[in-house]
Amino acid sequence: MDIVVRTPHGDADVSIASRAPTTTLGEVVAAATGQAVPRLVLVDGGAVDATAVLDDVRLVVGSVITSEPSMPTAGSDADVDLVQIAGHGAGRTMRLAPGRYRIGPGRRSNADELEVAPVERTVFELVVEPTSSTSEVSVVPPGSDLARSGATPDVTIDVTIDGAPVEVARPWHQGTLAVGARAFQFDSPARSSPPRERSVPDHDGTVAFG
């Protein structure tokens, strides 16, 4: 099973080929980091006792284990939710606080590309600016004088809002943002997060879903 162990110093891609039945989650983290066994870790965002046996943790392929968990930042009315409605990865929602976000292919397909994974090349940028009530969102295409400098994309990807090409920085108040084969919408203010539920993984770390 392939998982990711995340630390403040970087991420480690770990492949578990075999293990003893008594192997704990903390022992895996310690082996990957070279540090002492932690007391508590996060598995895909949920707190787990590091003494738990791997078979009881419900790991899945691509699970991210954070060795030094921190309390999540409280949300605010200025946050927005970026919701992918079509294309590979459809159904994902990413909470965005006010700020600037480079969006494009990441170095790891199982990472949160918006904030966590480095972006290989910028396809577009989102700028979330708080107002007196919620936030305003702007879309910045690569090459705009507002975009960060970076390498020229090898492949041009069309960026449109409701079919209209985004050729210069422009506000995105509503409508569908299409980026190649993917499509996005956003909610402002962000919705409250529903409890996350999933079925029990199979022995090989895969999860059935509809």
Side-chain angles (χ1 to χ4, degrees), residues 8 10 17 41 62 69 75 85 110 115 118 120 134 161 195 197 204:
V41 296
I85 62 172
N110 60 355
E115 295 180 302
E120 296 283 359
T134 54
I161 297 179
E197 297 181 358
D204 59 354

Side-chain angles (χ1 to χ4, degrees), residues 170-202:
R170 58 165 291 184
W172 181 25
H173 298 302
Q174 59 183 356
T176 300
L177 172 67
V179 184
R182 293 173 169 84
F184 302 86
Q185 293 179 345
F186 77 90
D187 292 328
S188 179
R191 295 172 291 182
S192 58
S193 300
R196 181 180 178 184
E197 297 181 358
R198 69 184 183 196
S199 57
V200 177
D202 294 334

Side-chain angles (χ1 to χ4, degrees), residues 1-3 19 43-44 53-63 196-209:
M1 182 188 302
D2 295 327
I3 61 175
R19 65 181 187 273
V43 177
D44 296 329
V53 176
L54 283 183
D55 289 340
D56 297 334
V57 177
R58 298 176 61 185
L59 290 177
V60 298
V61 174
S63 282
R196 181 180 178 184
E197 297 181 358
R198 69 184 183 196
S199 57
V200 177
D202 294 334
H203 68 280
D204 59 354
T206 60
V207 177
F209 67 94

Side-chain angles (χ1 to χ4, degrees), residues 6-68:
R6 175 163 296 155
T7 75
H9 308 291
D11 296 351
D13 296 321
V14 177
S15 182
I16 302 175
S18 62
R19 65 181 187 273
T22 57
T23 300
T24 66
L25 182 60
E27 290 171 341
V28 172
V29 173
T33 63
Q35 300 173 351
V37 176
R39 184 185 62 83
L40 185 72
V41 296
L42 295 183
V43 177
D44 296 329
V48 177
D49 190 329
T51 61
V53 176
L54 283 183
D55 289 340
D56 297 334
V57 177
R58 298 176 61 185
L59 290 177
V60 298
V61 174
S63 282
V64 178
I65 302 172
T66 305
S67 63
E68 296 186 14

Side-chain angles (χ1 to χ4, degrees), residues 57-145:
V57 177
R58 298 176 61 185
L59 290 177
V60 298
V61 174
S63 282
V64 178
I65 302 172
T66 305
S67 63
E68 296 186 14
S70 58
M71 294 301 293
T73 304
S76 73
D77 289 340
D79 295 348
V80 302
D81 277 342
L82 180 66
V83 184
Q84 185 176 343
I85 62 172
H88 181 68
R92 256 184 105 186
T93 299
M94 177 65 69
R95 179 69 48 87
L96 302 180
R100 191 181 193 95
Y101 300 87
R102 294 178 62 211
I103 300 176
R107 295 177 186 169
R108 276 209 332 277
S109 60
N110 60 355
D112 294 334
E113 297 177 2
L114 289 171
E115 295 180 302
V116 177
V119 174
E120 296 283 359
R121 55 183 175 83
T122 302
V123 175
F124 67 101
E125 294 188 10
L126 285 182
V127 181
V128 181
E129 297 180 312
T131 65
S132 58
S133 54
T134 54
S135 282
E136 292 184 354
V137 180
S138 299
V139 180
V140 183
S144 166
D145 57 354

